[in-house]
Amino acid sequence: MRLKTGTTAPPFETIDMDGRTIQLADFHGQKLLLAFFRYASCPLCNLRISELIRHQPELQMQGLQILAIFQSPLERLQQYAGRQRPPFSMIPDPDGRLYRLYGVESSWSGFLKGSLRVGSLATATARGFLPGPMDGNKARIPADFLISPDLIIQTAYYGNDIGDHLPLPNIRQWLAQASHTKDID
């Protein structure tokens, strides 16, 4: 079941790619982007991770923390998406526990629609993000959640296809509004 804006983010505890224990409660008092991806060798997923890495200094200056969740096992996450060495935690979730907790869905029509993202796929390939083994649900669709410092979901963005994530301008706008609200308080 999809989560809605204004609801409390479901709590969780897990282990990230580097062996650190991560709990949602660790982010109390911080702004968080909780990003759900497909599998670790997905070219479109790696393109998005690359984008987040490039913009991470700017986003972090505005107080945003990022957690990236993949349906791949640890070894595959380290082998593919982990090669980019992101400055944020990446979490393997091969059993799909966090996907179920946050209502992240799959869609064969979204799979087919996303396969038509020829420009994005070409860019991913040109940057060396080649397809590899598909772990987990092949038709998984990404989802992104912007979570406020009080752990309330401010944006629940469920993608329409395999390459659809919350656009960076939307993230920046939320950060600007959150900073402005803080300044007024």
Side-chain angles (χ1 to χ4, degrees):
M1 189 160 104
R2 287 185 172 196
L3 300 177
K4 302 217 182 298
T5 297
T7 60
T8 301
F12 62 84
E13 180 175 316
T14 190
I15 306 293
D16 77 1
M17 184 178 77
D18 297 320
R20 293 182 296 246
T21 299
I22 303 285
Q23 297 180 51
L24 180 65
D26 297 338
F27 297 92
H28 188 270
Q30 301 177 56
K31 294 170 257 182
L32 176 66
L33 168 62
L34 184 62
F36 286 84
F37 293 86
R38 298 178 67 229
Y39 54 93
S41 66
C42 167
L44 295 173
C45 299
N46 277 288
L47 188 61
R48 174 63 171 201
I49 289 292
S50 174
E51 178 182 49
L52 290 174
I53 290 170
R54 276 194 327 276
H55 294 279
Q56 194 269 346
E58 162 209 342
L59 298 173
Q60 189 175 36
M61 279 181 42
Q62 295 180 58
L64 186 68
Q65 301 299 315
I66 300 171
L67 288 179
I69 301 168
F70 284 85
Q71 62 185 14
S72 296
L74 174 63
E75 302 76 31
R76 195 98 72 208
L77 186 55
Q78 291 170 329
Q79 180 182 5
Y80 288 96
R83 285 188 314 202
Q84 296 189 62
R85 295 283 174 228
F88 46 82
S89 288
M90 295 203 312
I91 298 168
D93 186 28
D95 67 0
R97 181 177 61 89
L98 297 176
Y99 289 85
R100 287 186 299 280
L101 188 63
Y102 278 78
V104 181
E105 303 165 340
S106 60
S107 163
W108 284 107
S109 65
F111 176 85
L112 294 172
K113 193 163 106 178
S115 299
L116 300 176
R117 288 179 172 262
V118 178
S120 295
L121 288 167
T123 301
T125 301
R127 292 191 184 164
F129 304 133
L130 304 174
M134 291 184 171
D135 303 308
N137 186 332
K138 315 286 184 274
R140 178 80 66 197
I141 304 298
D144 295 308
F145 301 88
L146 292 174
I147 301 174
S148 65
D150 55 357
L151 304 181
I152 302 296
I153 296 173
Q154 298 299 307
T155 299
Y157 186 88
Y158 291 91
N160 291 310
D161 64 60
I162 60 174
D164 186 18
H165 284 275
L166 182 63
L168 277 176
N170 296 47
I171 296 170
R172 288 185 185 110
Q173 180 182 11
W174 177 70
L175 290 168
Q177 289 172 342
S179 293
H180 180 71
T181 303
K182 185 179 177 186
D183 293 342
I184 293 172
D185 291 343

